[in-house]
Structures are given as structure tokens and as C-alpha cells.
Amino acid sequence: MASPDLIEQRQYAEAVLGGLNIRPFRVDLTDGLLFVPKSRIAVVRKLCKHFDWPFKVTALTSSS
């Protein structure tokens, strides 16, 4: 199971992304992936770097 710290970071990331109207998105804690719309990848990567989130940002597809 994921560590409590990682779960808190996921919850915080969801709150920030929702507040910035970056939807839809999906967080996969087991692989450390953050799926976002293709047009928002650069912005979310900057957010991850700024907040030091341990997520790899990838494009959200219909099969994700």
C-alpha cells in the first residue's frame, strides 16, 4: 500500500488541479503517474516541480 505521505500528496494534487480547472485527471499511486489532458501537460509538470510532487505526468487517453 502507498505511504500516508504519498496519499496526502495525491489529495493535495487533486485539490490544486481541481482548483485550477485542470480536468479530467487521474492519479495512479502504485506507478506514480498523473494523467492529465494532453494540452495541460506542460503546466502540470511545472506544478509538480514547484510543489515537489513525486508524479510522472502523462497524457490522459480514453483507455487510461
Side-chain angles (χ1 to χ4, degrees):
M1 184 170 167
S3 69
D5 184 48
L6 188 58
I7 292 171
E8 289 174 11
Q9 287 181 332
R10 177 194 54 88
Q11 291 170 338
Y12 186 63
E14 287 177 347
V16 169
L17 294 175
L20 293 173
N21 204 26
I22 298 176
R23 293 185 181 112
F25 62 87
R26 195 179 112 216
V27 180
D28 182 355
L29 288 179
T30 56
D31 295 326
L33 297 173
L34 181 58
F35 297 94
V36 297
K38 196 173 193 177
S39 62
R40 304 302 291 245
I41 288 177
V43 172
V44 175
R45 283 186 178 152
K46 287 179 185 177
L47 285 171
C48 286
K49 185 175 182 177
H50 176 76
F51 288 111
D52 197 30
W53 291 335
F55 301 116
K56 285 197 237 176
V57 181
T58 57
L60 181 68
T61 61
S62 60
S63 64
S64 297

